[in-house]
Amino acid sequence: METTNQPYENQINVFSEFLEDLPDTDEPVWVLGECYNVKTEKTKLLSDVHSRLWFTYRKKFSPIGGTGPSSDTGWGCMLRCGQMILAQALVCSQLGRAWRWRAEGGQPEEYHRILHCFLDKKDSCYSVHQMAQMGVGEGKSVGEWYGPNTVAQVLKKLALFDDWNSLAVYVSMDNTVVIEDISTFFFPSLGADCGPDPVAGGNPSPLEKHQSKPSRFDWRPLLLVIPLRLGINHINPVYIQALKECFKIPQSCGVLGGKPNLAYYFIGFVGEELIYLDPHTTQSAVESEAGSGVDDQSYHCLRSPRRMKITNLDPSVALGFFCKSEDDFDSWCNLVQQIQMKRNLRMFELVENHPPHWPPFVPPTKPEVQTTGAEFIESSDKLFESEEEFEILNV
């Protein structure tokens, strides 16, 4: 069981300790699609990791549902990781992947608007309050631990209420990404017209057919989340190289996962170790009045980077990718096909057509939100969710 009483609140290590903690190696360090040389690009590497929004346990916020918990310590780590992967998508959408945070301030207005979306208050779009209460519809009581798939489903629903970002969140099922289903987000009149896959010969491939469709609707920024189970009790070594390749893809938005009792937000790797942001620090909630700025120092992790051996990874994960445009998505499809076909590395399937034995795909719509108060239950962190969560996933 995880220890929930932290002996510190946001202990910060000095700038240089991050660099010294990295191995002195000639191997490249990959962070969310960017490659760095530890020996020659330490400052750039640090700036990149330092700029990621870091969400941790908080305390002393208004009770969830009015009567529920005022802290998520001990149960909210996967919710915080979900916030981090979504925040990364919003930063890429509004500011671009090359944007960097500056400790001295002077951030663009879009940055502050993104941060306001995650503040620990009931009227923030992606607050722990909203996530916990939306989770009730996924069968989770407030205070119960989430797995990667459940938090992805919650993010998909909450994004429907975010008119400013207009983010589309697609969560795959059965280890399969269906291009036709994603197309229905933006091409509703074309989704059902794809027909069966063409036979071998002069006909275009399914991906080529998708790419030839006219852009009759504006593409919305897309966060693609792929829940997977990469083994039974431990990650199967056959998936390790494929997992590494995901962090090399320019559209990489990180990975939700962890190890038994702990959830982490993975942002890259070096050698045989994963680099991650750790939400298991309890900080006080940040106060903010409407229209005012936010003290954002506690939303960026200045401590040494956390690393863990890939072989210690729990097999329950969710891959994240962000595609800002249709061309971006087509590029992602091409890269995935190259990895799968040329290097024979495969963690999930990418198919053109909706499988005929599946229920029809229905684009998500705003759900009815029930706010009946919080039913808080005592729960310690656990990485394994109920078996039902992965009934739809192929092991």
Side-chain angles (χ1 to χ4, degrees), residues 354 358-362:
H354 187 89
W358 283 13
F361 176 77
V362 179

Side-chain angles (χ1 to χ4, degrees), residues 231-266:
I232 305 301
N233 297 319
H234 305 281
I235 183 172
N236 189 325
V238 72
Y239 295 119
I240 289 179
Q241 187 58 43
L243 180 62
K244 289 181 180 181
E245 292 296 321
C246 289
F247 292 109
K248 298 180 181 181
I249 296 177
Q251 294 83 3
S252 173
C253 208
V255 174
L256 301 178
K259 55 185 178 181
N261 303 327
L262 302 166
Y264 300 137
Y265 171 47
F266 296 99

